[in-house]
Every structure is written in structure tokens, then in C-alpha cells.
Amino acid sequence: MSFRQILPVALLAVGCIGSTLIQLPATAQERTVERAAPEQAAPPQPSPQDKVIAKLIAQLMPSNHVSGKDLNDEISRRALDLFLESFDPMKLYFLQSDVDEFNRYSEVVDDQVRLGDLSLAYYIYGRFTQRVDERVAVVMELLDGDFDFTRDEQIIIDRDATHFARDADEARDRWRRQIKLALLDLRNEKTDDSESDEPEMSKDEIMADAKDQLRRRYARYARRWKQTSSDDLLELFLSSVTNGYDPHSTYMSPATLEDFAISMRLNLDGIGASLGEKDGTTVVRQVIPGGAADSHGKLKPDDVIVAVGQDAEGPMVDIVEMPLKEVVKLIRGRAGSVVRLAVRPGGTGNEEIFKIVRARIELEDSAARGEVIDHEMPGQGKVKLGYINLPSFYMDMEAARRNETDYRSSTRDVERILRDFKSQNVGGVVLDLTRNGGGSLTEAISLTGLFIDRGPVVQVKNSDGSVQQYSDDQSGTVWDGPLVVVTSKLSASASEIFAGAIKDYHRGIVVGDPATHGKGTVQTLMDIGQSLFRNNNANYGALKVTLQQFYLPDGESTQLKGVEADLVLPSMTSKLPVAEGDLEYALEFDKVPLAKHSLYAMTPDSLLNSLRINSANRVQQDKEFSELMRRIELYVREKDQKSISLNEEEFLRRRAERKAQTEAEEEELDEVLNNDEIFRDTYYNKEVMNVAHEYVTGLRSQNLAVAK
């Protein structure tokens, strides 16, 4: 549906909606005003514009979201849960009685949004700021006292394994444990800091310093919430509603939209990493190939950033509990300048300082690169294999729009590499997508066309339920020989379309993690001011909505399920909680009818079974894979842990064990994510090449390299 079609409906809805409002407790507004004084002269109030925007979101989501789902009671319940979680992710502030009270309105959020009624959002915000004041007062009181670090007690660190405190006494005990954990962490971090040029401090001085840091942190936290604007609250509330549809649909406030526009104009100046917020911390979601963090080589997905410093020296700013957009402002900067990040690898590792030189991502840094490898296996001779490292599906959009004949693209670069491979008589090609987070859909289609004659590559379902096929229409192939596609849990979006099409056509085999990332949706950005109100000057924010879903030629979606590997190899990435399925309310996997296409005879079951058995035997006998599987087991055990001991001796033992484990995980992830070499001669990559070697010789023995 176009904006011209949406506009009359939206305006009609705004004009004719009735005035019935949900009645909140009579004292709600009074209590909010009382709590706001004296630190905040007046609490935020919704503007007439906010109410109109809420009504428009209520119209746009059902009509544009790919699910076609109404704004109903199910979305309402989800929205309320997400809104409460956005305030209190670890259930530390609200009491159970607060939540019980709010849940009385769990099925009216949808009705309120349609009416433009934001009273529930402001009521919950008011109660939350009251609880923050109460908890921070307890924190300050606790920090004036002593803590027994020899006592055997635990703190729950898993949100799903805990509950909201039943009363003030239980809340106080929860916070005593919370502060105790923070002091253990800070005190021992300061003790371990061997890089500091500061004079050595006594234990008492270290403890006093740690307490002061926590006082500043929580005072800032309370101050932050009292400075919440009506725009911020509107974004939190409406994004909770849109996230009830799926995790990628959000409402951007005017300030967030402006930040987004700035980041686009800066061409990714900064560290080149996608960040998110989880439980009050800043988490690395993705390291962008070719960026500063990628070149630095240390920052990894699932790492937590706890402090940021500017230039090579100077103070570090504690960013725990800081809003994500404020964190981004600290990290963003001009190319060539230095930013220092205090990072906890994997979220639970020991704190490390990374000095990263901000840079602009250049196309060359994320371009396809190839290398010919003479691979030898005992008793099987040599096979010449062509290896391609493809970190993204890219295209120089500006040059293409100018109709330049030599613009850069992943398809053109891979084609050039393949022709070079053919001139060197390679027997098979290995295409590595393990660190490829996606990119251009057009490129995924055209690159697939290098390996198939012609036919559908991807199907796209729209919000009206219609399904369109997008095909490779160019006859012929550039490479018609054996193909091995290597994927990981980090391979997403366009990578999944390519790997899935190759698998559906039986054109080659997929090797790597059990499945790819599982993001099979497309989002669009609707600028509310420009597109709905025809106002180019006013900023009303924007709606990012999931309006399409991807499907493979055989009709299966890549959503949630991803693309399953034909042959699975053990890896640490397969256990990272970074897939689409790890997000709340991710859209479900489903199917559309199969798109008729050719089948190649290049994945016979007998050969695949033989490859799996031989690879499993090699992996089982390999010492490095055995060590990897031991580390994976430790990582999973650590990740699934619901609580942490607050006994200092046990805490330090776990910390030392975690440090050794983190170093091993970093080494393992570095093998996947490092971009310095085209082909890294690791035990993992050796096994990939072993599989490719046997695949080539197996196809040769059966003469199966021709389409049927």
C-alpha cells in the first residue's frame, strides 16, 4: 500500500475516533506530580502531536506489517510486558503489587493507542520514578555500611528465573546482593588493573573508590529517568506496541530519527559496530566487516561495553544504565580519532580496554577476495581448490545510479575471482559466508546467478499476503563445478537467501553451524512528517515496520529457522545467543508454495552421508576439535547459569575460570571473524577444505556436475 493510499484512511481515523478513555486510579496524576518535585519542576506531558502519532501507529501497523495482524489483545499483552521490561529488565525496581496493578490494563493498551490515550504510559512511568527514588535511597544507605564477603549466598542473574519483590524488605535484600556483586566486581577489577599508572591503592581505598563509583552510577541513573522527555516516553511506549508484532518494528522519536539521519550521512564513521541494549547494558550485536572494530580484531558479538573514554588517555565514562543513544554519541566521532572501550567479553568476562581508531568503512575493506589452495589429503592426493572470502553483499549504489560501467559489486568481484580460478583449473570452489551479515538483496540474486543457469532465487511475501518471485534471468553460469558454501550463526539475511537457493537447487553443499542466523524479514522506514503529513520541515519521527518476509525457492522461509547445514562442524558461534530466535516475539517460520525451478545432481544422498561420516571421524580424532568441544561445554554451562555466588573466594575462583574460558573463546571467534587473511590455516578451515576435497573427488567419481 502506498502512502497516498494510507493518508486518507489515517486522517479519517484521526477525525472520527471517539473520546472514551480508560479510567486509571484517581490518585495517579496527583502521585506523579508529588513524586516529580523537587528535582523535576514538571513531569513530562503528552502533546497533541503525540496523541495523533499514537493513532497513526495504530492504523499503520495492521495495514503495513507483513503478518496482517490486527492491533488486538494479544499485541496489547505483549506491549505491556515489553513496556515494563524497558523500565525494569531485571525486576529490581517495581514491586509485584505494582505489576499486578498494571496487569489489570493488559488488554486495553491496543484500545488506548487507537484513541491516542497515553495515560497508562505516563502512570507507569510515574510509578517507576517513585520506585527508582526508593531503591536509590536504599543503595546509598547500603553503601554507607559494610558487606560480609565470606558469607555463602547467591544472586540470581537470569530475568526469567527471578520475580518482582513482594515487599520493601525483599526489595532491600535484592539490592543488598546487587550492590555486593557490583562491589566484588569493581574491587577485584581495580586490583587486577596492571596497566594503570596510578599509585597502588590499599584494599580499603579500593573499596571506598568502588563505593563512590556506584554512588555516582545510581545517582546518574535516577537523574536520567527524571530527565525523560515526552518524546522519549512516546518512543518507549509505541516501540513496545510495535515490538509486540516483531522485534524489528519500532517507532523512532524525532531525536532518534535525527540521530539515524546523522549516522547515515557520516557513512558509518566510528567503530563500525551495531549496538543494542540488554538489561541496562550496552551489547555488541554485530561487528561490521571492514570497519574499525573489525580491523582492531578484538570486539565480538555478545560483548558488553561498560565504559567509554576519548583519545588515548583521559577519564573513562561509566555507561552502565546509560541510554543507548547517549552511548552511541560517546562512541561516534571523526575518522582518525581514538576511542577507548572498557569491554567485558561475552558479557561475563574480565574487563579489558580496547583502543580503537575510528574510521570510515571503505568498500575495499569488505570486498570479496579469493585464493587458490593446493589441498592434499592422505591417500587421496591433491585437489586444487578456490577459496572466496565474502564478508557482505555490497554494491556501489551511487556509481550504479550514475550508470557507470565499472561500478563495484559483490557479484562483479566474485565473477572476476571465479574466472581467475577457472584459468588456474581449480577442481572446486569454497565460498565462505561465516562472517557475512547480509546486504543487498539484488546482489544475493545476481550472485546466485553465477552458479545456476536461471530461475527463481527468492520469494517475497507482502503485507497483503501476495507473493512475488525474484529470479536470475541471465542464462548460463560462470562456475558450474563443485561448490561448498560455508555458513555460521552470524550469516544473515542476504547470506541466507544465497545459501538457501544453492541448497534448494541441489547446486552445492552447505557446511558449518547447524543453521544460519534466521532473519527472513524486510523493514522499511516511514517518515511520518514527510510521508503522512506532507510536512518537510517538521520532524514527527518515523515508523520502522516489517513489511515483507523472505522465502526460498522451495517455499520455506529463512525466518527463525535459517538455512540448515548439510554437514555440521562444531563451533563456538553456534552457541552464541545472537540469532533471530533469541529475540522476543520474533515472527514464526512458515511456508509459501514452491517456485518451480531446476534441480542439479550435485548433492546425492550417498555422497552426503559419506562426507558426514568421514568428517565426524576426523573431528573426533582431532585434538584441537576435542579441546574446542570441551570449551563449548564450559561456555554453555556458564551461559545457562542462573545465579552467581557472592562468596568472594568462590567468586574469584569462578572469575579465574571464566578468564581462561574467555581467552579460549576469543581465540575461537577470532578464527571466524578475523579479516587480515583471505584464508586462515586453522584446524576448522582445514576440515572445511577436507570436506571440499572429498566432495570434489566424490562428484568426479560419479560424474555428477551437470544440471538435470
Side-chain angles (χ1 to χ4, degrees), residues 451-512:
F451 301 94
I452 65 171
D453 182 25
R454 61 190 307 161
V457 175
V458 63
Q459 303 186 75
V460 178
K461 183 172 73 175
N462 302 302
S463 57
D464 62 2
S466 63
V467 178
Q468 294 173 278
Q469 294 179 15
Y470 293 88
S471 302
D472 163 47
D473 296 322
Q474 298 292 321
S475 296
T477 62
V478 175
W479 174 256
D480 61 4
L483 173 65
V484 175
V485 182
V486 192
T487 59
S488 75
K489 201 174 186 179
L490 305 177
S491 306
S493 195
S495 293
E496 299 176 278
I497 291 168
F498 175 85
I502 294 299
K503 188 173 179 181
D504 281 4
Y505 275 78
H506 295 189
R507 175 60 187 83
I509 62 171
V510 179
V511 176

Side-chain angles (χ1 to χ4, degrees), residues 159-170:
R159 185 181 198 273
D160 294 333
T162 190
H163 59 269
F164 291 98
R166 297 176 184 85
D167 52 39
D169 289 339
E170 186 177 356

Side-chain angles (χ1 to χ4, degrees), residues 242-304:
T242 57
N243 284 166
Y245 280 84
D246 81 285
H248 305 292
S249 294
T250 60
Y251 167 70
M252 293 183 182
S253 70
T256 300
L257 179 59
E258 191 173 324
D259 284 346
F260 178 79
I262 290 171
S263 69
M264 291 298 100
R265 291 197 296 271
L266 285 175
N267 272 340
L268 294 176
D269 275 6
I271 65 170
S274 172
L275 306 178
E277 192 169 7
K278 180 181 179 182
D279 300 341
T281 62
T282 299
V283 182
V284 178
R285 299 294 187 202
Q286 179 189 5
V287 176
I288 300 169
D294 187 37
S295 299
H296 182 266
K298 291 289 187 181
L299 198 66
K300 303 291 188 294
D302 211 32
D303 285 354
V304 170

Side-chain angles (χ1 to χ4, degrees), residues 42-150:
Q45 296 294 329
S47 68
Q49 173 183 306
D50 293 346
K51 298 177 182 180
V52 172
I53 290 171
K55 294 177 184 179
L56 288 172
I57 297 300
Q59 290 288 327
L60 292 174
M61 285 304 297
S63 60
N64 287 274
H65 194 267
V66 67
S67 68
K69 185 180 291 186
D70 288 335
L71 181 57
N72 56 22
D73 287 349
E74 179 189 10
I75 300 297
S76 180
R77 289 189 293 270
R78 290 179 177 185
L80 181 60
D81 288 344
L82 290 168
F83 191 55
L84 296 180
E85 188 174 343
S86 68
F87 288 114
D88 195 2
M90 287 303 295
K91 303 179 182 177
L92 287 167
Y93 294 92
F94 287 127
L95 295 174
Q96 184 61 53
S97 58
D98 296 327
V99 177
D100 291 341
E101 180 183 344
F102 302 148
N103 280 335
R104 290 163 49 199
Y105 309 103
S106 64
E107 295 186 355
V108 300
V109 173
D110 54 329
D111 303 308
Q112 288 195 294
V113 175
R114 276 192 290 268
L115 294 169
D117 178 8
L118 303 172
S119 56
L120 179 61
Y122 280 78
Y123 180 58
I124 291 173
Y125 165 75
R127 179 67 58 83
F128 179 69
T129 56
Q130 174 192 358
R131 297 305 185 208
V132 168
D133 284 346
E134 292 170 357
R135 305 294 173 259
V136 171
V138 168
V139 166
M140 298 306 180
E141 182 184 335
L142 289 170
L143 286 171
D144 286 337
D146 296 324
F147 293 84
D148 182 1
F149 295 105
T150 64

Side-chain angles (χ1 to χ4, degrees), residues 11-52:
L11 292 181
L12 178 63
V14 171
C16 68
I17 285 178
S19 58
T20 303
L21 299 178
I22 301 299
Q23 294 298 315
L24 292 170
T27 56
Q29 282 191 331
E30 297 170 11
R31 285 203 295 262
T32 303
V33 172
E34 285 178 2
R35 287 194 299 275
E39 291 190 38
Q40 183 174 322
Q45 296 294 329
S47 68
Q49 173 183 306
D50 293 346
K51 298 177 182 180
V52 172

